[in-house]
Amino acid sequence: SYELTQPPSVSVSPGQTARITCSGDALPKQYAYWYQQKPGQAPVLVIYKDSERPSGIPERFSGSSSGTTVTLTISGVQAEDEADYYCQSADSSALFGGGTKLTVL
Amino acid sequence: QVTLRESGPALVKPTQTLTLTCTFSGFSLSTSGMCVSWIRQPPGKALEWLARIDWDDDKYYSTSLKTRLTISKDTSKNQVVLTMTNMDPVDTATYYCARTPLDYDSSGYYFDYWGQGTLVTVSS
């Protein structure tokens, strides 16, 4: 069955760049979306259609796509960016990746 | 201002049917391209999409849970209802509803506004 694969964890120091990948065979044909989820809170959309940023999301969040892999990049990571991040794609059914815990050292 | 709020029982017994209601404001589910989805998250685990209902009353379900789920809407009340039959302890999770705009360019969709979620525990 189709899956979206993310690394379980990524760690970076404040001010560095964090890159979180998401791989899936359907990604060349489907857009990817990214969500940030902090403990005890609902997810928040941070990237849509591979690389578009919703209003109110800081410019340090960006997305890119290459073949079967999409990447969420957070430039100049801040302590407040520590969270779980999920990728998602959809055709008739929606699918989430397993999530990546971003730790800011 | 778009808001969504989930309501329903916090505790259900195994084999019972769960009924959850999503009450929303700030958008209309009669607008072309607008949908509402249900998504759940077991404690400490990943998000799982469950179902979607569209402005034209089309409905889509998770393949693995299709036989247990029913989604419906009451446009006049701005509500979407999800029922899940034959509840089991593995269904213990926080259940979210989310506004789901369709992307006509790609036929994809995403979740741009979420409710705060409601924790449902399945236990005897």
Side-chain angles (χ1 to χ4, degrees):
Chain A
S1 62
Y2 176 54
E3 293 181 344
L4 293 175
T5 301
Q6 299 180 235
S9 63
V10 168
S11 299
V12 296
S13 298
Q16 290 190 329
T17 296
R19 294 180 179 86
I20 299 172
T21 59
C22 172
S23 298
D25 289 341
L27 289 178
K29 303 184 293 291
Q30 296 176 3
Y31 282 124
Y33 310 89
W34 290 94
Y35 302 86
Q36 175 194 68
Q37 186 180 33
K38 296 181 179 180
Q41 298 183 19
V44 172
L45 179 71
V46 295
I47 293 289
Y48 66 101
K49 293 176 72 170
D50 288 350
S51 59
E52 301 293 321
R53 195 173 51 249
S55 61
I57 301 301
E59 291 184 7
R60 64 180 181 273
F61 288 87
S62 63
S64 61
S65 175
S66 180
T68 59
T69 299
V70 293
T71 303
L72 172 68
T73 301
I74 310 171
S75 304
V77 166
Q78 301 182 5
E80 67 197 52
D81 300 330
E82 185 163 287
D84 293 328
Y85 291 85
Y86 293 92
C87 61
Q88 176 246 319
S89 69
D91 45 25
S92 58
S93 296
L95 180 66
F96 289 94
T100 299
K101 181 175 181 58
L102 175 66
T103 300
V104 182
L105 301 171
Chain B
Q1 178 190 5
V2 173
T3 65
L4 303 99
R5 185 182 75 250
E6 305 88 352
S7 58
L11 179 66
V12 298
K13 290 180 167 43
T15 75
Q16 287 187 335
T17 294
L18 171 68
T19 299
L20 295 172
T21 300
C22 175
T23 303
F24 58 88
S25 63
F27 68 98
S28 173
L29 200 40
S30 59
T31 299
S32 178
M34 195 55 65
C35 319
V36 170
S37 295
W38 285 93
I39 297 139
R40 72 177 179 179
Q41 185 173 37
K45 296 190 177 180
L47 300 164
E48 178 185 20
W49 174 79
L50 299 177
R52 184 187 107 201
I53 190 163
D54 295 358
W55 77 101
D56 59 1
D57 212 37
D58 278 351
K59 299 159 188 172
Y60 300 85
Y61 297 100
S62 161
T63 301
S64 61
L65 293 168
K66 184 183 178 82
T67 61
R68 299 173 54 205
L69 295 174
T70 302
I71 193 169
S72 61
K73 65 182 174 70
D74 185 332
T75 304
S76 65
K77 292 183 178 179
N78 282 352
Q79 290 183 332
V80 171
V81 174
L82 181 76
T83 62
M84 180 180 291
T85 61
N86 195 24
M87 293 292 285
D88 182 273
V90 300
D91 297 313
T92 294
T94 296
Y95 287 75
Y96 296 98
C97 62
R99 192 178 84 157
T100 308
L102 286 184
D103 175 11
Y104 282 110
D105 290 343
S106 67
S107 299
Y109 57 94
Y110 56 101
F111 315 106
D112 60 352
Y113 291 90
W114 296 61
Q116 84 280 8
T118 186
L119 176 62
V120 178
T121 300
V122 184
S123 175
S124 54

